[in-house]
Amino acid sequence: MRYVLDVAVERPLYSLFSYSHYRKLDLGVRVKVPLGRGFSRGWVLKVSRLEEERDLKSIDEVIDDSPPLPSTWLTLAQIISQEYCYPLGLTLKLLFPYDYLPSFGEITLKSVGERFSRLVVGSRLSRLSYYREVIGEFLAAGEKVILLVPQLEDMEDWASKLSFDNTFLWYSEIRRSERKRAWNAAKGEGGALFIGTFSLSLVPMRNLGLVIVDDEGSSYLRRLSLPYIHARDAILLRRRVESFSVILGGAILSAESFNLVKEGWDLEELPGSKPKYRLIDLKRSSKVAFLSQSLFSKIKANLKLGGKSVILLNRKAYASYLKCEECGYIPKCSNCDIPLSLYREEGKLKCPYCGYERSFSDTCFNCGGYFFKLGSPGIESLASLLRRRLGSGVAVWDAETELFDESALIIVGTQRVLQPKIMNGVKLACIALADLSLYKSSYRSEEETLRMIYSLASFSPEELYVQTYVPEHPVFKIFREDSWKEFLEAELDKRKELRYPPFYSLALVSLKGKRELFLMSKLKELKLALEGRAIEVLGPIRRVLPDGKISLSLLLKGKKGELEKELCDLLENGKIKPSKELEIIVDPPEV
Ligand SMILES: [Zn+2]
Ligand SMILES: [Zn+2]
C-alpha cells in the first residue's frame, strides 16, 4: 500500500505538492521532499491512498515522529495564510520556527463558560490594578493568560509589577533554555502567566483563558517583515480556532479596536486623573533650544528640584542634513541619493533610509570647509543645546542608543521613550513638536498624534506640555476635553467614506529588480490579471531602493475579506505568478 501526501513546502509557493510514501503519516508532520533541483522542508497537510498509478516523487525523509503543533494550528496557519496572502508552508514555519522544541501535542478544547471581549482604557497605573485582578481570577481557575506588550522594557516592567508566581517571558531573543521552560509550561495543564512581544501571540497554550493586548494601538506590536501582522489581529484570528477571553487595553484605543464596540465588545473606562496639560503656540513664543521660554524655565526649575523631565521629539540624529556654506555640497547616501543625517556624538553621517554610514570630522568632503548650514534639528541637537544651558545631566534615548545614563534627569528621545524604563517617575513630559507626526502623510497621522499625547499622559506625569505651530488643530482640543470617543467616531466615518481600514483592506504589491523595462512588462501583466476583479488599483509608485534596485508598487483597495480572497485566488490559480521580484504586503504598515 502506498499513500499520497500533499505537502506545503517552506518556500514562497502557493500550491501544495504531492508525493508518495509507503507509510501513512500524521497530518502536520514535517518532511524533507525533493523540489526542483534541490530539497525543501514541508508540512504534510493531506494524506490519501494511492488508488491509481501516478508519477509521483517519494519523500526524502520524515523529520518528526509526531506533529510539532496541535492540529488546530494547521487551521490557524490556513487562516493567516489566506488573510495575508502569505504562502502556507512559510506561515507554518512562522508558527513553529524553533527546531529544538519538543512536540506540543494535541489541545483538546474543553467546553468552557462564556468568554468576554473587552476594551479597557486608562492610565498605566489603573490598567495595572485592573489587569492584576482579572489575571488573578483566571490563574486561580487554573487557566493560562497571555499578556502582549510592545517593547521588551514593558515586558520586564509588567512582570515585576504584576508579580505572579508562575510568570514566563517570551520574545524573539530569549535564550533557548528559557524558551524551552516556557514552552513546557505552555504545554502543561496548570495556570501560568506569559508576558511577551509579538511572537508570543502565536504560541499554543493548553487551557488558555485570557489574552490581554496592552497598548494595543502601538506600531511596535507589529511584525517587521512579511507577513506584517499586528499582535491584535493575530489574537483575533487565533480566536477563530480557540475560545478565550480578550482584553484590548491602552491609554486610548485605535480606530480599529474602537470599531469593535459596534460588534458588541464591552468598553470599560478606568477612573484616573489627567495631568495638568498645556498647549504651547510656538508662533507666539520666544524660544530657547527649540523650547518655548516658559517651558524651558519649567524644565530648569524641575531639574533644580531633582525632578525628571522627558522631551519627546520624533526626529532622530543631530540634523536631518548638512550643507557646506562654502561650496554648497550636501553629503548624500551613495545608495539612495538622499541627504545623510548628522550624528554628531558618534562623528558620523548616516542614511535615514538604508543605514549607510561614513565618518565625519567637521570638514567638508568636497572643499575642506568648516562651516555648515544644518537641516532640521533632531534629538541629539536638542540634547546638546540643553546641555550647554543646563549641564551634563541630559541623556538621549532612541532605538539605537547603546550608552544610556540612567541617572539623567532630562531625557530627550523619539517615540521610543514611551516605555517604563524612561517614563517611570517622570514629573514633566512634553512633545517638542507635535506637528511632525500630525503632518506625516498617512491616513493615521491624527490618530497617532493623539495616541502619542495620551500615551505620555498615561504614565501620569504631573505636567504635560505639547508644542505646536498649529494650536488651532482640532486634535489638541480632543485631549483637553477628553473627547476621544467622538474623535474616533468621526475618524471611523471618514475612513468608511474614503475606503480605508477597518472597513476596507489595503495591499501593497511591489515588483523589485534592476531591469526597469522587465519590471514594467511584469507590471503590465499584473495589472491585466487584476482587471475585472473587485479590486481598486492605484499607482504605480516608483521608488529607488537602498541597494539601487527599482521598485514599482501598486496600492490595492478592496472590501475587507474580499481583497484578500481575490488576491489568494489569483496566486493559487497562477494568474499572478510568485517570483523573486514580486512582494505582496497585505495591511502594509505604511502607505
Ligand atoms: Zn541610503
Ligand atoms: Zn564645501
Side-chain angles (χ1 to χ4, degrees), residues 117-119 216 232-233 235-236 239 246-248 253-267 488 492 502-503 560:
S117 306
R118 210 170 279 169
L119 303 162
E216 58 83 29
R232 172 192 58 225
D233 299 324
I235 291 305
L236 297 182
R239 229 182 176 190
V246 176
I247 293 177
L248 303 178
L253 294 172
S254 62
E256 280 88 347
S257 296
F258 185 62
N259 193 47
L260 293 171
V261 175
K262 295 197 184 82
E263 292 175 21
W265 285 53
D266 311 322
L267 173 60
L488 288 179
L492 284 169
F503 308 101
K560 191 160 179 56

Side-chain angles (χ1 to χ4, degrees), residues 324 327 364 367:
C324 175
C327 74
C364 174
C367 73

